[in-house]
Amino acid sequence: MKPSVPIPTEPIGSIPRPPALIERVTKTDSPDPNAEPDLAPLYEQAIRDTIERFEATGSPVVTDGEQRKYHNFATYCVHGLPNTAPDGFAIPFADGHTRRLPRLTRGPFRYGRHADGFLDVAMQYAHVPVKQAVISPSALSLMYPAESIPGYSREQFIEDLLREHETDIRGCLARGAHKVQVDFTEGRLAVKLDPSGRLLHSFIDLINLALSRFSPEARQRIGVHTCPGNDLHSTHSADVDYAELLPSLFELKAGNFYVALAGERDRRHVLGIIRKYLKPDQRVFVGVIAPGDPRVETAEEVRDRVLEAVEYIPLEQLGTTDDCGFAPFFDNTAVDRDTAFAKIQARVRGTALASDAVGGRS
Ligand SMILES: [Zn+2]
């Protein structure tokens, strides 16, 4: 029962952007500092401040808060590509608002930028390990239109997509990312969109095709994040029972899973499913902070959530995280920066209290 190391804790990724940056980006034609040079110092200031404040929370692993992922966690790599149109797949949120992906208009499909560029900048400022989130190939697969593109088949697209995704991960691993996290928020949504489970299974197969290209050692540094979505105090798939998703999720050939849990109505139900399907070479980071809720959790609350998880998950396979990023979409200010960092500090302190309680040193 005594862990020789404290229970690991990691963030998901995004932190609300400073209001001045949001305001400036909203007013501009292009959010890219290469096109709008006066944006560069604002981004730099945002990244520097984010990492400083992240480290001040005591978080053993930090991110750049995705300050440069305009406009969101999913389209950073394809934003502004000339072969896209804005009227792509719409993600429907429970409160009625939607967020759209771009639609691919012609081949070939190439990323406009890769995530290792973000990591490079973050590592210049950070004194502790940095993790990097990348978008899943399944999310981007939704960019290919229902009617096929003449001269560029869906099969060719998938081949290009997998190569670009693999390059995204390899670049981050090579630059020394503590972990590379594949954002798979559309997993739970897939069950809602297609209750037969076919869409989910096609997503799982696609991600596994990509993960199979990595060695078992590399896959221990790769993780997958699942959540019901988090945007403007709303979710897109919280009504889908995790029992429909988690058995398939743990079929993914990844070493780590970041599972939103704090916001679940029945956490023990979810923990029971995780216990049943988690494989011996996998670690699950359970969410202990609800990022969309402006109330700051206490460290004791977090401790109790971790101890609840300890009843179900072997200690050597357990970690903690936030349920989701605090602002996966660039202009989301539902929670402000001060609140986000206070909540992260509660996660770090609460996880340390739990480590102490089960006999670990922290
Ligand atoms: Zn999420």
Side-chain angles (χ1 to χ4, degrees):
M1 197 66 181
K2 281 186 192 297
S4 55
V5 288
I7 296 167
T9 188
E10 294 181 15
I12 292 297
S14 62
I15 297 289
R17 282 59 161 185
L21 177 62
I22 297 174
E23 194 185 331
R24 179 66 187 79
V25 166
T26 323
K27 275 194 210 145
T28 186
D29 287 339
S30 168
D32 187 341
N34 293 321
E36 299 278 339
D38 63 326
L39 273 171
L42 279 176
Y43 280 120
E44 196 191 308
Q45 172 59 29
I47 294 165
R48 187 193 294 262
D49 184 66
T50 298
I51 290 175
E52 235 173 70
R53 298 190 63 182
F54 230 127
E55 291 185 345
T57 66
S59 192
V61 179
V62 302
T63 72
D64 67 352
E66 306 187 354
Q67 306 295 289
R68 280 279 306 266
K69 276 192 182 171
Y70 43 79
H71 290 280
N72 60 60
F73 69 103
T75 62
Y76 64 89
C77 49
V78 296
H79 181 82
L81 290 183
N83 56 342
T84 59
D87 59 346
F89 179 83
I91 306 166
F93 282 84
D95 65 357
H97 87 279
T98 58
R99 294 281 196 173
R100 290 199 97 105
L101 292 175
R103 171 175 59 89
L104 192 69
T105 55
R106 59 190 152 79
F109 177 79
R110 301 276 184 272
Y111 279 14
R113 68 178 61 75
H114 285 94
D116 58 358
F118 305 134
L119 186 63
D120 256 351
V121 175
M123 289 178 79
Q124 286 170 25
Y125 298 119
H127 306 87
V128 298
V130 183
K131 77 181 275 190
Q132 181 64 49
V134 301
I135 190 58
S136 66
S138 41
L140 294 180
S141 73
L142 297 168
M143 286 178 66
Y144 194 88
E147 67 285 359
S148 62
I149 297 175
Y152 188 60
S153 68
R154 193 179 161 79
E155 288 68 33
Q156 282 173 283
F157 164 70
I158 293 295
E159 199 175 301
D160 286 340
L161 170 61
L162 286 173
R163 190 199 52 247
E164 292 294 275
H165 174 67
E166 181 189 354
T167 305
D168 219 20
I169 295 182
R170 281 202 195 282
C172 296
L173 289 175
R175 278 174 165 72
H178 176 69
K179 294 277 181 54
V180 181
Q181 170 189 290
V182 178
D183 284 336
F184 183 44
T185 179
E186 72 284 6
R188 201 164 169 183
L189 180 64
V191 179
K192 185 165 179 168
L193 297 175
D194 177 7
S196 79
R198 269 200 296 273
L199 185 62
L200 173 64
H201 289 127
S202 73
F203 284 176
I204 298 281
D205 289 347
L206 188 59
I207 297 176
N208 266 342
L209 276 176
L211 292 174
S212 323
R213 300 178 177 192
F214 293 89
S215 67
E217 295 73 35
R219 292 202 294 260
Q220 286 304 311
R221 286 172 61 203
I222 300 175
V224 176
H225 166 53
T226 184
C227 69
N230 170 38
D231 190 34
L232 306 171
H233 296 306
S234 190
T235 57
H236 53 53
S237 54
D239 50 338
V240 170
D241 191 331
Y242 259 139
E244 304 289 320
L245 171 71
L246 294 178
S248 303
L249 186 81
F250 292 116
E251 291 298 320
L252 288 172
K253 298 182 173 95
N256 306 276
F257 292 84
Y258 303 88
V259 177
L261 183 63
E264 290 299 307
R265 268 188 296 273
D266 186 352
R267 291 194 302 268
R268 288 182 179 274
H269 164 67
V270 181
L271 286 165
I273 303 168
I274 296 174
R275 170 166 63 191
K276 187 161 174 202
Y277 291 96
L278 186 70
K279 296 187 166 56
D281 58 346
Q282 296 174 333
R283 185 188 289 272
V284 63
F285 291 77
V286 296
V288 292
I289 295 289
D293 179 358
R295 189 185 70 85
V296 178
E297 291 85 351
T298 65
E300 289 72 24
E301 252 175 288
V302 170
R303 176 200 62 202
D304 293 345
R305 286 175 186 176
V306 183
L307 294 178
E308 181 181 68
V310 168
E311 292 178 40
Y312 295 83
I313 316 289
L315 267 176
E316 62 279 8
Q317 287 179 271
L318 182 65
T320 68
T321 184
D322 309 313
D323 270 12
C324 191
F326 289 89
F329 294 87
F330 190 89
D331 57 356
N332 180 7
T333 51
V335 165
D336 62 24
R337 283 168 75 81
D338 290 348
T339 307
F341 286 116
K343 288 167 87 78
I344 288 169
Q345 189 165 62
R347 166 169 56 77
V348 172
R349 290 186 176 165
T351 303
L353 288 177
S355 287
D356 288 345
V358 295
R361 288 167 286 116
S362 53

